[in-house]
Amino acid sequence: MTGFSTRAIHDGNPNDPGTGAVIPPLHLTSTFVQDGVGKLRSEYEYSRSGNPTRTALQETLASLEAGATAYAFASGLAAEDALIRAHTRPGDTIVIGNDAYGGTYRLIDQVYRHWGVENRPVDFTDLDAVRTAVAETKPKLLWVETPSNPLLRITDIAAVAEIAHLAGALLVVDNTFATPYLQQPITLGADFVVHSLTKYLGGHSDAVGGAVIVRDAELGEPIGFLQNASGGALSPFDSWLFSRGIKTLSARMRTHSDNGEAIVAAIADHPAVSAIHYPGLESHPGHEIAAKQQRRFGGMVSLQVRGGADAARKLVESTRVFQLAESLGGVESLIELPAAMTHASVSGTELEVPADLVRLSVGIEDSEDLVADLLQALDQLG
Ligand SMILES: *Cc1c(COP(=O)(O)O)cnc(C)c1O
């Protein structure tokens, strides 16, 4: 098999045999002409069911995540929704990380619970707690995010895969933060990988999309069925944007990781900072596992400040290069206050995040500019 960066550029993206165009054409069409009833020219008949531009993206994703097949959806949550609907039934339980992405927990707790699918939040960094939750609830799915959003906790994927499989359950890993460049959960035993393509895979903050990649084709069949039957499929144009973004994934992730490390080194000892969460730090409780299962540590950093929630709010409103916005994973640096923004939907639940937590999505600008910007904002906290 060729290397990761070569596959990111070439797999799923053959040149166009008809014209020689280096980039495969963008098939902006809803339907495909038939030469007689049911006589299709290729496998395609209608773009909800299948479109060559979406197929190209799905092939690239399956290759990069070492999966059998991939399915692209109109958002990360639409991808998660199809996976859950395909692989759970009323009476089943999902064991989910107690610091999962707020939107994921909202889907599982506020939508699926009404359809009889129960959930049990657990701290996946505590394997005994995972074993207990699995023994008590006999779940259908275990749902892990590592590094987690927004606390950057690290879960040992191989260890949790073993616990899941011993209990006859399937393991889902949300690989949005790490991307397949940093870690490939299927090679560590996961059955499904989910992505918000919106984030690092797209990388340019210009489209919303999601995907499920499956370990073997059989697990994917009911997801592919739902992609057509309930229709959350990704559009051709957005598929094309994501294919374009993925070509630079390796280069971007290396710079995100360089800049993340530079920022952590520059602000860790600042008097206004009370805690910093970054798996690249040797003092991070998940550092050793992250070093084992990840290639680098990425560009997501979160920190807590001494002045509490008010100081955190002041910090996110005082940066100039870091822009105040939700989302992450783009080339531009973003800063946000999870308790009031991305994770507001989980306030009052077991997944509530600290009010003084600030999350950085470190972009690929010059690290000197990013460091100077954060230092001037932190200095204002006194
Ligand atoms: C953003 C995000 C999602 C949801 O994806 P959308 O594309 O916004 O629907 C899921 N998981 C994680 C970790 C995310 O950051």
Side-chain angles (χ1 to χ4, degrees), residues 74-78 80 100-101 103-104 145 147-149 174-177 194-199 207-210 327-328 359:
S75 70
L77 287 179
E80 296 181 7
Y101 173 69
T104 300
E145 240 179 85
S148 69
N149 177 9
D174 183 332
N175 206 27
T176 298
F177 269 36
V194 297
H195 274 287
S196 171
L197 299 172
T198 317
K199 317 293 171 52
V208 172
S327 199
L328 61 110
R359 190 186 76 180

Side-chain angles (χ1 to χ4, degrees), residues 26-314:
L26 163 51
H27 291 276
L28 284 177
T29 187
S30 59
T31 189
F32 298 82
V33 74
Q34 307 192 6
D35 290 328
V37 177
K39 272 202 198 142
L40 307 178
R41 288 199 195 162
S42 61
E43 71 203 79
Y44 299 103
E45 60 181 334
Y46 183 60
S47 281
R48 167 162 41 72
S49 324
N51 176 285
T53 310
R54 192 165 79 234
T55 302
L57 170 66
Q58 293 177 160
E59 284 178 6
T60 312
L61 290 169
S63 168
L64 298 184
E65 285 288 6
T69 47
Y71 303 90
F73 291 87
S75 70
L77 287 179
E80 296 181 7
D81 179 52
L83 163 53
I84 295 166
R85 221 162 350 145
H87 285 282
T88 62
R89 291 292 176 268
D92 287 342
T93 298
I94 301 173
V95 168
I96 179 164
N98 66 357
D99 61 345
Y101 173 69
T104 300
Y105 188 63
R106 181 177 57 199
L107 173 66
I108 288 174
D109 194 56
Q110 293 186 39
V111 178
Y112 276 98
R113 214 151 45 78
H114 299 300
W115 262 263
V117 176
E118 300 295 326
N119 70 79
R120 167 76 74 91
V122 67
D123 176 0
F124 271 111
T125 65
D126 178 351
L127 294 178
D128 285 332
V130 177
R131 284 187 199 96
T132 303
V134 167
E136 284 175 7
T137 64
K138 303 192 172 41
K140 190 72 193 295
L141 298 176
L142 277 70
W143 196 290
V144 164
E145 240 179 85
T146 180
S148 69
N149 177 9
L151 286 164
L152 285 306
R153 292 205 185 113
I154 300 295
T155 295
D156 186 332
I157 296 172
V160 172
E162 198 184 316
I163 294 171
H165 295 153
L166 278 174
L170 296 168
L171 175 62
V172 182
V173 175
D174 183 332
N175 206 27
T176 298
F177 269 36
T179 81
Y181 177 71
L182 297 185
Q183 115 192 327
Q184 288 153 17
I186 289 174
T187 66
L188 299 167
D191 302 288
F192 304 97
V193 167
V194 297
H195 274 287
S196 171
L197 299 172
T198 317
K199 317 293 171 52
Y200 285 107
L201 288 173
H204 294 74
S205 307
D206 53 9
V208 172
V212 183
I213 300 101
V214 298
R215 173 173 49 76
D216 73 44
E218 214 177 302
L219 290 173
E221 271 166 28
I223 299 171
F225 173 79
L226 279 178
Q227 190 187 42
N228 179 44
S230 61
L234 189 66
S235 77
F237 189 74
D238 288 335
S239 299
W240 189 89
L241 284 174
F242 290 122
S243 288
R244 176 179 162 136
I246 287 170
K247 289 175 189 164
T248 55
L249 181 66
S250 308
R252 285 186 285 108
M253 291 312 290
R254 283 194 289 269
T255 307
H256 284 298
S257 298
D258 289 344
N259 286 357
E261 285 169 16
I263 281 171
V264 167
I267 67 170
D269 295 328
H270 193 283
V273 174
S274 61
I276 193 148
H277 307 280
Y278 187 66
L281 279 173
E282 272 172 39
S283 57
H284 186 288
H287 175 71
E288 259 175 54
I289 297 165
K292 186 181 69 175
Q293 70 191 15
Q294 294 183 208
R295 194 199 295 250
R296 295 282 306 271
F297 301 106
M300 296 305 297
V301 177
S302 62
L303 60 127
Q304 287 169 270
V305 290
R306 283 201 202 285
D310 290 343
R313 184 174 291 260
K314 181 159 186 209

